[in-house]
Amino acid sequence: PKMESFDVNLHRLLSKKTLLKDAVVTPEEVIPMPGGVGATFDFSDEQPIKTKEIYKLSWQQFEALTVEVMSKELNANSAWLTNSGADKGADGVIDNGRQLVLIQAKHTKGRYDGYEAIKEIVFAKSVYEEELEKSDSKLMFITNATALSKRTRETAKQCNVEVLNGNAFAELVEKHEITFKQLITRLDKKRLKV
C-alpha cells in the first residue's frame, strides 16, 4: 500500500476544513487545498508535480514552487520565501553566491497583464540589495499565465526583468521534478523578512 507522510495528510485534512478556518485559531494561515473543498485530485507527496497540476496549486504553493525550481536551476546556496503579506515586492529570494535573484510570482487562471508585478519586482531591487548588503540582483517575474500583455513584455525588457511565462516555467518544473512534499517543507521554513 502507498503511504503518504504525516505532513501531507495533515495538510489535506486542514485544507478540507476551509469553511472552519476562521473559527479556529492557528499560528499561521491555513493554505486551502487547490481546487477547493471536495476536489477529486490528490497530490502524492513523493511524485513530481506535473505541468497540468500547476494551475491546481494555491498562490502560496505556486510561490514555493517558483523558489524550489529556481534554486535548483541556479544551483543556489540559499533560497527563501519572503514575508507573507508585506513582502516589499519580492515573493522569493535566491542567493547563488554571485548575485541575488529576486522573484515576483503570480498564479492565475488564464491571461494576466503582469504590469504591476513588473513594477513590484523593480521596486524590490533597492530594498533587498540594501537589506542583504548585495549590489547585484537579477530580477524575475514568473507566472503560470501563458499570455502576457505587450505592455508587460516591453516594460520587463526596459527594466531588465526576466519573464518566465507558464510554458517556460512548466518546462523547468518538469526538468527539476519538485514534489508536493517539497512545497509543504518550503512553506514551513522560516521566511526572509526585510
Side-chain angles (χ1 to χ4, degrees):
K2 183 175 154 185
M3 301 293 288
E4 293 185 336
S5 73
F6 174 78
D7 291 337
V8 169
N9 284 322
L10 179 61
H11 177 73
R12 187 173 292 120
L13 175 66
L14 291 174
S15 296
K16 290 179 181 178
K17 303 296 181 191
T18 56
L19 294 176
L20 297 176
K21 77 176 177 74
D22 293 329
V24 177
V25 177
T26 59
E28 292 188 8
E29 180 179 358
V30 175
I31 298 171
M33 185 64 167
V37 176
T40 58
F41 63 90
D42 288 314
F43 287 107
S44 170
D45 58 338
E46 297 300 330
Q47 293 295 315
I49 294 170
K50 300 294 182 199
T51 300
K52 65 184 180 200
E53 297 171 328
I54 294 173
Y55 81 93
K56 298 175 183 177
L57 298 172
S58 69
W59 64 267
Q60 298 100 326
Q61 293 162 342
F62 183 75
E63 287 179 358
L65 181 63
T66 63
V67 170
E68 287 297 316
V69 167
M70 295 314 299
S71 66
K72 288 186 182 278
E73 180 69 12
L74 300 170
N75 296 315
N77 297 338
S78 302
W80 307 270
L81 284 168
T82 59
N83 193 30
S84 188
D87 59 25
K88 299 194 171 108
D91 297 315
V93 177
I94 295 171
D95 185 347
N96 66 9
R98 299 177 312 280
Q99 66 182 170
L100 291 177
V101 178
L102 304 178
I103 297 171
Q104 176 57 242
K106 294 294 180 191
H107 186 269
T108 186
K109 306 278 191 241
R111 187 176 172 85
Y112 181 71
D113 182 350
Y115 180 74
E116 290 298 318
I118 300 298
K119 288 184 357 186
E120 288 177 33
I121 198 65
V122 170
F123 168 76
K125 181 177 169 70
S126 61
V127 173
Y128 283 86
E129 284 181 349
E130 181 178 329
E131 188 68 30
L132 300 174
E133 299 177 350
K134 297 270 187 168
S135 60
D136 183 25
S137 294
K138 176 179 180 173
L139 305 178
M140 297 189 76
F141 167 50
I142 303 174
T143 181
N144 67 319
T146 55
L148 296 169
S149 71
K150 181 179 179 183
R151 172 178 78 154
T152 299
R153 293 188 309 273
E154 289 172 351
T155 304
K157 186 175 182 180
Q158 290 169 351
C159 296
N160 201 25
V161 176
E162 182 180 343
V163 176
L164 288 181
N165 70 9
N167 296 328
F169 184 63
E171 288 179 17
L172 293 178
V173 169
E174 294 287 334
K175 174 182 174 183
H176 293 293
E177 300 186 333
I178 305 299
T179 65
F180 191 67
K181 182 177 182 180
Q182 287 173 283
L183 297 188
I184 299 302
T185 301
R186 172 65 61 188
L187 287 165
D188 287 341
K189 287 185 178 179
K190 185 173 178 167
R191 292 175 177 256
L192 180 66
K193 296 183 183 188
V194 295

